[in-house]
Amino acid sequence: MAVVSKKIPAPDKVAVKTALLSVSDKTGIVDLARALAEKGVRLLSTGGTHKAIAAAGLDVTDVSDVTGFPEIMDGRVKTLHPKVHGGLLAIRDDAEHQEAMKAHGIDGIDLAVINLYPFEDVRAAGGDYPTTVENIDIGGPAMIRASAKNHAYVAILTDPADYPELLEQLSSDAGQTSYAFRQRLAAKAYARTAAYDAMISNWFAEALSIDTPRHRVIGGVLKEEMRYGENPHQTAGFYVTGEKRPGVATATLLQGKQLSYNNINDTDGAFELIGEFAPEKTGPACAIIKHANPCGVATGPTLKDAYLRALACDSTSAFGGIIALNQLLDAETAEEIVKLFTEVIIAPEVTEEAKAVIAAKKNLRLLVTGGLPDPRSRGITAKTVAGGLLVQSRDNGMIDDIELKVVTKRQPTAQELLDLKFAYTVAKHVKSNAIVYAKDGQTAGIGAGQMSRIDSARIAALKAEDAAKAMGWAEPMTKGSAVASEAFFPFADGLLSAIAAGATAVVQPGGSMRDQEVIDAANEHNVAMVFTGMRHFRH
């Protein structure tokens, strides 16, 4: 049954007479304590925070002296006491609460400055199970939630970034906080504990291999407020979850203006794709992305060659695109890239010489990640639907880990097999329905996001013809290419379209009711076909 409110009006102004300070992140805490003390605020504190404030020569009372109970169990129990929570939760204008405070010797706490054990950092650093568990804060969230619930009388600060605004308000309003300020702090506080608990619950699910927990929450911290979302009339923010996967969320922006919502989405897709190409295995590789789809991907003897080969696939669409590289960006490659208008470059590392080249394009964003994402690692992806959230495991399937099944009379040649694997790897990152032609470690044509797979095959072939004209080639690269479909061919027509474009080998998951019809068509045209048994829908 719901708790009935007494509907006591919240005061607008509350004087801060007593403050409780208990923080893990001690950034600015001594300066804050000093400023509060100068305003005559009584200081209460715990553990390491108390030591830091006392060491600064400030008069501060240990919470143990208030509760009459020592800090025990390695600090696990120190603030879980009625004299702390009563001081935070008491409704000052409620006569019954006032009577209870007098009867039990409870003093009101008007300001709580609390932040939490660094669970996120410990998890990200790969802490073992016992260490990670030990960094789950209990007293901190309890005090934050208590203070936030009673925001009618208590200001709760969970972020050092809010210290200056607090002090400004106290200075300008005779040592008081406003109700509107306390409301905003309470909202922020509950979001903080929600995100914290989300991180913990997701860690448990991961550690215990619970794929679909009964309750799933995903929390994040605002990294930056976007100028707008996908379109100018939409608002947006970029939140980070704490996962230390190399990519756009963890990268360092070396130059260029703030990334837009679309830049971030496209850059993430580009770098996840290029993460499939470990340089020690494939050599230099480049992916060019436009509107969340690759318009060119290639490997090459040098990074410059890989870029030029990727660009050749669709130089028109590459204009204003995102370029992802799988290794150190050098000056020679940078000099080629800056010849074309590009929104973002993302790479694991960059030379000083390459930085200087790119600096001439002041609006070109340059992101450095320090590494590549592991395509085999576990993780989750999520998207919202009306009234719900779809959560799934990250698509970490790789063709190199699959036992391939040749289903046609003709076996693929060694080169065809290499191109089939390359094309299928790229197709995994193309919006469905996807068709990718590839030849000699280079995409020849990409068809993305069509309602019909045959249309994707036709569009990819047309793209290849356009590329041949632009590059002055005698014929499109689809001639003698390998073709990949990220899902099965429901009919033979899509395969026949690819064969007409010049494909000589095909890779697809298989699994259609008409697989035999498709196999027969491949055999009739002496085309090699491989089944993977693994689909890669991407919507």
Side-chain angles (χ1 to χ4, degrees), residues 14-16 18-20 88 92 109-114 143-144 147-148 150-158 166 169-170 176-179 181-183 185-186 189:
V14 171
V16 176
T18 300
L20 171 60
L88 295 172
R92 315 302 163 77
I109 298 171
D110 315 299
L111 169 66
V113 182
I114 316 289
M143 289 188 291
I144 289 172
S147 303
N150 201 30
H151 63 271
Y153 300 93
V154 181
I156 171 64
L157 272 72
T158 57
L166 167 73
Q169 189 154 132
L170 295 179
Q176 301 178 106
T177 59
S178 70
Y179 183 51
F181 179 59
R182 297 192 301 276
Q183 283 181 306
L185 291 177

mmCIF file of all heavy atoms in Angstrom, residues 14-16 18-20 88 92 109-114 143-144 147-148 150-158 166 169-170 176-179 181-183 185-186 189:
data_model
loop_
_atom_site.group_PDB
_atom_site.id
_atom_site.type_symbol
_atom_site.label_atom_id
_atom_site.label_comp_id
_atom_site.label_asym_id
_atom_site.label_seq_id
_atom_site.Cartn_x
_atom_site.Cartn_y
_atom_site.Cartn_z
ATOM 1 N N VAL A 14 16.231 27.263 3.079
ATOM 2 C CA VAL A 14 16.679 26.490 4.231
ATOM 3 C C VAL A 14 18.104 26.911 4.562
ATOM 4 O O VAL A 14 18.991 26.861 3.696
ATOM 5 C CB VAL A 14 16.641 24.977 3.958
ATOM 6 C CG1 VAL A 14 17.318 24.204 5.090
ATOM 7 C CG2 VAL A 14 15.204 24.495 3.776
ATOM 8 N N ALA A 15 18.322 27.313 5.785
ATOM 9 C CA ALA A 15 19.657 27.709 6.224
ATOM 10 C C ALA A 15 20.522 26.465 6.431
ATOM 11 O O ALA A 15 20.073 25.465 6.991
ATOM 12 C CB ALA A 15 19.569 28.500 7.520
ATOM 13 N N VAL A 16 21.744 26.521 5.962
ATOM 14 C CA VAL A 16 22.671 25.404 6.128
ATOM 15 C C VAL A 16 23.470 25.637 7.408
ATOM 16 O O VAL A 16 24.346 26.504 7.466
ATOM 17 C CB VAL A 16 23.610 25.273 4.915
ATOM 18 C CG1 VAL A 16 24.639 24.171 5.160
ATOM 19 C CG2 VAL A 16 22.807 24.981 3.654
ATOM 20 N N THR A 18 24.378 22.618 9.452
ATOM 21 C CA THR A 18 25.192 21.414 9.626
ATOM 22 C C THR A 18 25.356 20.716 8.288
ATOM 23 O O THR A 18 24.385 20.545 7.535
ATOM 24 C CB THR A 18 24.532 20.448 10.621
ATOM 25 O OG1 THR A 18 24.388 21.101 11.886
ATOM 26 C CG2 THR A 18 25.376 19.187 10.803
ATOM 27 N N ALA A 19 26.596 20.334 7.993
ATOM 28 C CA ALA A 19 26.894 19.643 6.741
ATOM 29 C C ALA A 19 27.604 18.333 7.026
ATOM 30 O O ALA A 19 28.490 18.273 7.890
ATOM 31 C CB ALA A 19 27.749 20.518 5.838
ATOM 32 N N LEU A 20 27.213 17.293 6.319
ATOM 33 C CA LEU A 20 27.867 15.992 6.396
ATOM 34 C C LEU A 20 28.662 15.776 5.122
ATOM 35 O O LEU A 20 28.111 15.805 4.016
ATOM 36 C CB LEU A 20 26.825 14.883 6.562
ATOM 37 C CG LEU A 20 27.330 13.435 6.448
ATOM 38 C CD1 LEU A 20 28.381 13.139 7.506
ATOM 39 C CD2 LEU A 20 26.166 12.460 6.541
ATOM 40 N N LEU A 88 19.014 13.261 8.332
ATOM 41 C CA LEU A 88 18.797 13.523 6.913
ATOM 42 C C LEU A 88 17.327 13.466 6.525
ATOM 43 O O LEU A 88 16.883 14.182 5.631
ATOM 44 C CB LEU A 88 19.581 12.505 6.065
ATOM 45 C CG LEU A 88 21.110 12.561 6.150
ATOM 46 C CD1 LEU A 88 21.721 11.363 5.421
ATOM 47 C CD2 LEU A 88 21.651 13.861 5.567
ATOM 48 N N ARG A 92 11.330 18.838 9.102
ATOM 49 C CA ARG A 92 11.522 19.810 10.189
ATOM 50 C C ARG A 92 10.227 20.483 10.618
ATOM 51 O O ARG A 92 10.112 20.946 11.752
ATOM 52 C CB ARG A 92 12.545 20.873 9.770
ATOM 53 C CG ARG A 92 13.808 20.329 9.087
ATOM 54 C CD ARG A 92 14.596 19.331 9.938
ATOM 55 N NE ARG A 92 15.529 18.554 9.142
ATOM 56 C CZ ARG A 92 16.697 18.982 8.683
ATOM 57 N NH1 ARG A 92 17.069 20.225 8.909
ATOM 58 N NH2 ARG A 92 17.473 18.188 7.988
ATOM 59 N N ILE A 109 20.540 17.561 9.647
ATOM 60 C CA ILE A 109 21.652 17.767 8.701
ATOM 61 C C ILE A 109 21.057 18.466 7.495
ATOM 62 O O ILE A 109 20.118 17.962 6.863
ATOM 63 C CB ILE A 109 22.299 16.432 8.300
ATOM 64 C CG1 ILE A 109 22.900 15.738 9.530
ATOM 65 C CG2 ILE A 109 23.378 16.649 7.235
ATOM 66 C CD1 ILE A 109 23.368 14.313 9.279
ATOM 67 N N ASP A 110 21.596 19.622 7.160
ATOM 68 C CA ASP A 110 21.017 20.468 6.112
ATOM 69 C C ASP A 110 21.701 20.309 4.761
ATOM 70 O O ASP A 110 21.137 20.683 3.733
ATOM 71 C CB ASP A 110 21.096 21.941 6.539
ATOM 72 C CG ASP A 110 20.658 22.126 7.973
ATOM 73 O OD1 ASP A 110 19.497 21.818 8.270
ATOM 74 O OD2 ASP A 110 21.496 22.550 8.796
ATOM 75 N N LEU A 111 22.904 19.790 4.782
ATOM 76 C CA LEU A 111 23.695 19.633 3.555
ATOM 77 C C LEU A 111 24.450 18.316 3.632
ATOM 78 O O LEU A 111 25.116 18.034 4.632
ATOM 79 C CB LEU A 111 24.676 20.798 3.400
ATOM 80 C CG LEU A 111 25.751 20.667 2.313
ATOM 81 C CD1 LEU A 111 25.121 20.658 0.923
ATOM 82 C CD2 LEU A 111 26.771 21.799 2.431
ATOM 83 N N ALA A 112 24.342 17.507 2.591
ATOM 84 C CA ALA A 112 25.109 16.263 2.496
ATOM 85 C C ALA A 112 25.954 16.311 1.230
ATOM 86 O O ALA A 112 25.433 16.602 0.150
ATOM 87 C CB ALA A 112 24.173 15.064 2.476
ATOM 88 N N VAL A 113 27.231 16.071 1.403
ATOM 89 C CA VAL A 113 28.151 16.032 0.258
ATOM 90 C C VAL A 113 28.699 14.609 0.203
ATOM 91 O O VAL A 113 29.532 14.214 1.019
ATOM 92 C CB VAL A 113 29.288 17.057 0.425
ATOM 93 C CG1 VAL A 113 30.198 17.032 -0.806
ATOM 94 C CG2 VAL A 113 28.721 18.454 0.638
ATOM 95 N N ILE A 114 28.191 13.841 -0.736
ATOM 96 C CA ILE A 114 28.476 12.401 -0.784
ATOM 97 C C ILE A 114 28.853 12.005 -2.213
ATOM 98 O O ILE A 114 28.157 12.367 -3.160
ATOM 99 C CB ILE A 114 27.245 11.554 -0.382
ATOM 100 C CG1 ILE A 114 26.537 12.120 0.846
ATOM 101 C CG2 ILE A 114 27.634 10.094 -0.199
ATOM 102 C CD1 ILE A 114 27.246 11.979 2.143
ATOM 103 N N MET A 143 22.733 7.235 2.086
ATOM 104 C CA MET A 143 22.680 8.638 2.509
ATOM 105 C C MET A 143 22.230 9.544 1.362
ATOM 106 O O MET A 143 21.487 10.509 1.580
ATOM 107 C CB MET A 143 24.045 9.079 3.034
ATOM 108 C CG MET A 143 24.422 8.466 4.375
ATOM 109 S SD MET A 143 25.922 9.196 5.076
ATOM 110 C CE MET A 143 27.170 8.592 3.935
ATOM 111 N N ILE A 144 22.675 9.237 0.150
ATOM 112 C CA ILE A 144 22.272 10.048 -1.000
ATOM 113 C C ILE A 144 20.760 9.963 -1.195
ATOM 114 O O ILE A 144 20.075 10.980 -1.365
ATOM 115 C CB ILE A 144 23.012 9.589 -2.279
ATOM 116 C CG1 ILE A 144 24.496 9.979 -2.190
ATOM 117 C CG2 ILE A 144 22.369 10.205 -3.524
ATOM 118 C CD1 ILE A 144 25.341 9.398 -3.315
ATOM 119 N N SER A 147 18.857 11.783 1.615
ATOM 120 C CA SER A 147 18.949 13.240 1.465
ATOM 121 C C SER A 147 18.084 13.718 0.311
ATOM 122 O O SER A 147 17.390 14.741 0.406
ATOM 123 C CB SER A 147 20.399 13.650 1.224
ATOM 124 O OG SER A 147 21.245 13.200 2.259
ATOM 125 N N ALA A 148 18.133 12.972 -0.799
ATOM 126 C CA ALA A 148 17.362 13.375 -1.981
ATOM 127 C C ALA A 148 15.864 13.272 -1.721
ATOM 128 O O ALA A 148 15.089 14.129 -2.165
ATOM 129 C CB ALA A 148 17.760 12.512 -3.172
ATOM 130 N N ASN A 150 14.426 13.754 1.060
ATOM 131 C CA ASN A 150 14.072 14.868 1.940
ATOM 132 C C ASN A 150 14.623 16.194 1.418
ATOM 133 O O ASN A 150 15.051 17.053 2.183
ATOM 134 C CB ASN A 150 14.582 14.599 3.355
ATOM 135 C CG ASN A 150 13.846 15.413 4.403
ATOM 136 O OD1 ASN A 150 12.666 15.738 4.243
ATOM 137 N ND2 ASN A 150 14.531 15.754 5.478
ATOM 138 N N HIS A 151 14.607 16.356 0.094
ATOM 139 C CA HIS A 151 15.173 17.570 -0.495
ATOM 140 C C HIS A 151 14.399 18.829 -0.118
ATOM 141 O O HIS A 151 14.871 19.946 -0.352
ATOM 142 C CB HIS A 151 15.237 17.447 -2.026
ATOM 143 C CG HIS A 151 13.899 17.315 -2.681
ATOM 144 N ND1 HIS A 151 13.292 16.093 -2.896
ATOM 145 C CD2 HIS A 151 13.043 18.249 -3.166
ATOM 146 C CE1 HIS A 151 12.136 16.279 -3.490
ATOM 147 N NE2 HIS A 151 11.950 17.576 -3.672
ATOM 148 N N ALA A 152 13.236 18.666 0.485
ATOM 149 C CA ALA A 152 12.519 19.838 0.995
ATOM 150 C C ALA A 152 13.373 20.571 2.027
ATOM 151 O O ALA A 152 13.266 21.796 2.177
ATOM 152 C CB ALA A 152 11.184 19.415 1.611
ATOM 153 N N TYR A 153 14.265 19.807 2.704
ATOM 154 C CA TYR A 153 15.061 20.415 3.773
ATOM 155 C C TYR A 153 16.565 20.188 3.610
ATOM 156 O O TYR A 153 17.358 20.848 4.276
ATOM 157 C CB TYR A 153 14.626 19.840 5.134
ATOM 158 C CG TYR A 153 13.178 20.095 5.435
ATOM 159 C CD1 TYR A 153 12.206 19.163 5.104
ATOM 160 C CD2 TYR A 153 12.770 21.301 6.011
ATOM 161 C CE1 TYR A 153 10.860 19.408 5.351
ATOM 162 C CE2 TYR A 153 11.427 21.559 6.263
ATOM 163 C CZ TYR A 153 10.474 20.608 5.928
ATOM 164 O OH TYR A 153 9.150 20.872 6.169
ATOM 165 N N VAL A 154 16.956 19.251 2.749
ATOM 166 C CA VAL A 154 18.368 18.870 2.652
ATOM 167 C C VAL A 154 18.864 19.061 1.218
ATOM 168 O O VAL A 154 18.209 18.642 0.258
ATOM 169 C CB VAL A 154 18.575 17.401 3.075
ATOM 170 C CG1 VAL A 154 20.059 17.024 3.000
ATOM 171 C CG2 VAL A 154 18.039 17.165 4.481
ATOM 172 N N ALA A 155 20.026 19.683 1.099
ATOM 173 C CA ALA A 155 20.706 19.790 -0.202
ATOM 174 C C ALA A 155 21.710 18.645 -0.303
ATOM 175 O O ALA A 155 22.525 18.459 0.603
ATOM 176 C CB ALA A 155 21.413 21.128 -0.318
ATOM 177 N N ILE A 156 21.635 17.877 -1.380
ATOM 178 C CA ILE A 156 22.533 16.738 -1.564
ATOM 179 C C ILE A 156 23.435 16.961 -2.777
ATOM 180 O O ILE A 156 22.956 17.117 -3.908
ATOM 181 C CB ILE A 156 21.742 15.414 -1.710
ATOM 182 C CG1 ILE A 156 22.657 14.264 -2.131
ATOM 183 C CG2 ILE A 156 20.570 15.555 -2.670
ATOM 184 C CD1 ILE A 156 23.717 13.898 -1.124
ATOM 185 N N LEU A 157 24.738 16.994 -2.551
ATOM 186 C CA LEU A 157 25.712 17.188 -3.627
ATOM 187 C C LEU A 157 26.455 15.880 -3.869
ATOM 188 O O LEU A 157 27.055 15.319 -2.947
ATOM 189 C CB LEU A 157 26.713 18.290 -3.275
ATOM 190 C CG LEU A 157 26.291 19.721 -3.654
ATOM 191 C CD1 LEU A 157 25.190 20.202 -2.726
ATOM 192 C CD2 LEU A 157 27.481 20.668 -3.607
ATOM 193 N N THR A 158 26.419 15.399 -5.102
ATOM 194 C CA THR A 158 27.112 14.160 -5.467
ATOM 195 C C THR A 158 28.227 14.399 -6.481
ATOM 196 O O THR A 158 28.905 13.462 -6.872
ATOM 197 C CB THR A 158 26.108 13.163 -6.083
ATOM 198 O OG1 THR A 158 25.469 13.775 -7.212
ATOM 199 C CG2 THR A 158 25.059 12.750 -5.065
ATOM 200 N N LEU A 166 26.816 25.854 -5.151
ATOM 201 C CA LEU A 166 26.367 25.829 -3.758
ATOM 202 C C LEU A 166 26.918 27.027 -2.997
ATOM 203 O O LEU A 166 26.174 27.755 -2.316
ATOM 204 C CB LEU A 166 26.812 24.539 -3.081
ATOM 205 C CG LEU A 166 26.669 24.522 -1.552
ATOM 206 C CD1 LEU A 166 25.210 24.414 -1.149
ATOM 207 C CD2 LEU A 166 27.503 23.414 -0.934
ATOM 208 N N GLN A 169 25.344 30.254 -3.957
ATOM 209 C CA GLN A 169 24.004 30.409 -3.411
ATOM 210 C C GLN A 169 24.058 30.764 -1.919
ATOM 211 O O GLN A 169 23.316 31.640 -1.454
ATOM 212 C CB GLN A 169 23.191 29.129 -3.620
ATOM 213 C CG GLN A 169 21.730 29.304 -3.259
ATOM 214 C CD GLN A 169 20.826 28.337 -4.002
ATOM 215 O OE1 GLN A 169 19.983 27.707 -3.380
ATOM 216 N NE2 GLN A 169 20.990 28.205 -5.313
ATOM 217 N N LEU A 170 24.943 30.122 -1.188
ATOM 218 C CA LEU A 170 25.064 30.428 0.242
ATOM 219 C C LEU A 170 25.543 31.863 0.459
ATOM 220 O O LEU A 170 25.099 32.547 1.386
ATOM 221 C CB LEU A 170 26.028 29.443 0.907
ATOM 222 C CG LEU A 170 25.593 27.971 0.953
ATOM 223 C CD1 LEU A 170 26.670 27.127 1.622
ATOM 224 C CD2 LEU A 170 24.268 27.814 1.672
ATOM 225 N N GLN A 176 21.679 30.300 2.864
ATOM 226 C CA GLN A 176 20.518 29.449 2.617
ATOM 227 C C GLN A 176 20.572 28.839 1.213
ATOM 228 O O GLN A 176 21.210 29.368 0.311
ATOM 229 C CB GLN A 176 19.228 30.270 2.743
ATOM 230 C CG GLN A 176 19.037 30.922 4.100
ATOM 231 C CD GLN A 176 17.775 31.753 4.127
ATOM 232 O OE1 GLN A 176 16.768 31.366 4.724
ATOM 233 N NE2 GLN A 176 17.809 32.900 3.463
ATOM 234 N N THR A 177 19.866 27.720 1.055
ATOM 235 C CA THR A 177 19.675 27.126 -0.275
ATOM 236 C C THR A 177 18.218 27.276 -0.666
ATOM 237 O O THR A 177 17.324 27.278 0.187
ATOM 238 C CB THR A 177 20.043 25.627 -0.279
ATOM 239 O OG1 THR A 177 19.223 24.930 0.663
ATOM 240 C CG2 THR A 177 21.508 25.429 0.061
ATOM 241 N N SER A 178 17.971 27.366 -1.964
ATOM 242 C CA SER A 178 16.594 27.504 -2.453
ATOM 243 C C SER A 178 15.995 26.136 -2.750
ATOM 244 O O SER A 178 16.711 25.160 -3.013
ATOM 245 C CB SER A 178 16.563 28.353 -3.721
ATOM 246 O OG SER A 178 17.152 27.637 -4.800
ATOM 247 N N TYR A 179 14.690 26.071 -2.711
ATOM 248 C CA TYR A 179 13.990 24.815 -2.985
ATOM 249 C C TYR A 179 14.260 24.338 -4.410
ATOM 250 O O TYR A 179 14.481 23.145 -4.640
ATOM 251 C CB TYR A 179 12.493 25.006 -2.758
ATOM 252 C CG TYR A 179 11.676 23.737 -2.934
ATOM 253 C CD1 TYR A 179 12.032 22.570 -2.275
ATOM 254 C CD2 TYR A 179 10.554 23.717 -3.760
ATOM 255 C CE1 TYR A 179 11.295 21.402 -2.428
ATOM 256 C CE2 TYR A 179 9.799 22.559 -3.919
ATOM 257 C CZ TYR A 179 10.180 21.405 -3.243
ATOM 258 O OH TYR A 179 9.439 20.253 -3.392
ATOM 259 N N PHE A 181 16.895 24.778 -6.197
ATOM 260 C CA PHE A 181 18.256 24.238 -6.228
ATOM 261 C C PHE A 181 18.279 22.839 -5.613
ATOM 262 O O PHE A 181 18.873 21.901 -6.174
ATOM 263 C CB PHE A 181 19.182 25.183 -5.459
ATOM 264 C CG PHE A 181 20.617 24.739 -5.383
ATOM 265 C CD1 PHE A 181 21.363 24.532 -6.531
ATOM 266 C CD2 PHE A 181 21.237 24.550 -4.146
ATOM 267 C CE1 PHE A 181 22.698 24.143 -6.469
ATOM 268 C CE2 PHE A 181 22.563 24.155 -4.076
ATOM 269 C CZ PHE A 181 23.298 23.949 -5.232
ATOM 270 N N ARG A 182 17.596 22.679 -4.491
ATOM 271 C CA ARG A 182 17.575 21.374 -3.829
ATOM 272 C C ARG A 182 16.849 20.331 -4.684
ATOM 273 O O ARG A 182 17.235 19.157 -4.707
ATOM 274 C CB ARG A 182 16.923 21.495 -2.446
ATOM 275 C CG ARG A 182 17.692 22.395 -1.491
ATOM 276 C CD ARG A 182 17.204 22.267 -0.053
ATOM 277 N NE ARG A 182 15.789 22.585 0.123
ATOM 278 C CZ ARG A 182 15.301 23.808 0.289
ATOM 279 N NH1 ARG A 182 16.116 24.866 0.288
ATOM 280 N NH2 ARG A 182 13.991 24.000 0.458
ATOM 281 N N GLN A 183 15.818 20.759 -5.384
ATOM 282 C CA GLN A 183 15.120 19.836 -6.287
ATOM 283 C C GLN A 183 16.046 19.332 -7.392
ATOM 284 O O GLN A 183 16.080 18.134 -7.706
ATOM 285 C CB GLN A 183 13.908 20.534 -6.912
ATOM 286 C CG GLN A 183 12.708 20.673 -6.001
ATOM 287 C CD GLN A 183 11.553 21.343 -6.723
ATOM 288 O OE1 GLN A 183 11.709 22.433 -7.273
ATOM 289 N NE2 GLN A 183 10.390 20.709 -6.718
ATOM 290 N N LEU A 185 19.290 19.203 -7.366
ATOM 291 C CA LEU A 185 20.313 18.336 -6.792
ATOM 292 C C LEU A 185 19.748 16.948 -6.495
ATOM 293 O O LEU A 185 20.428 15.930 -6.695
ATOM 294 C CB LEU A 185 20.858 18.955 -5.507
ATOM 295 C CG LEU A 185 21.688 20.233 -5.656
ATOM 296 C CD1 LEU A 185 22.087 20.768 -4.287
ATOM 297 C CD2 LEU A 185 22.940 19.983 -6.499
ATOM 298 N N ALA A 186 18.497 16.894 -6.037
ATOM 299 C CA ALA A 186 17.875 15.606 -5.737
ATOM 300 C C ALA A 186 17.698 14.772 -7.002
ATOM 301 O O ALA A 186 17.954 13.560 -7.013
ATOM 302 C CB ALA A 186 16.522 15.828 -5.060
ATOM 303 N N ALA A 189 20.954 13.420 -7.914
ATOM 304 C CA ALA A 189 21.386 12.398 -6.968
ATOM 305 C C ALA A 189 20.757 11.043 -7.278
ATOM 306 O O ALA A 189 21.437 10.010 -7.272
ATOM 307 C CB ALA A 189 21.038 12.831 -5.544
#
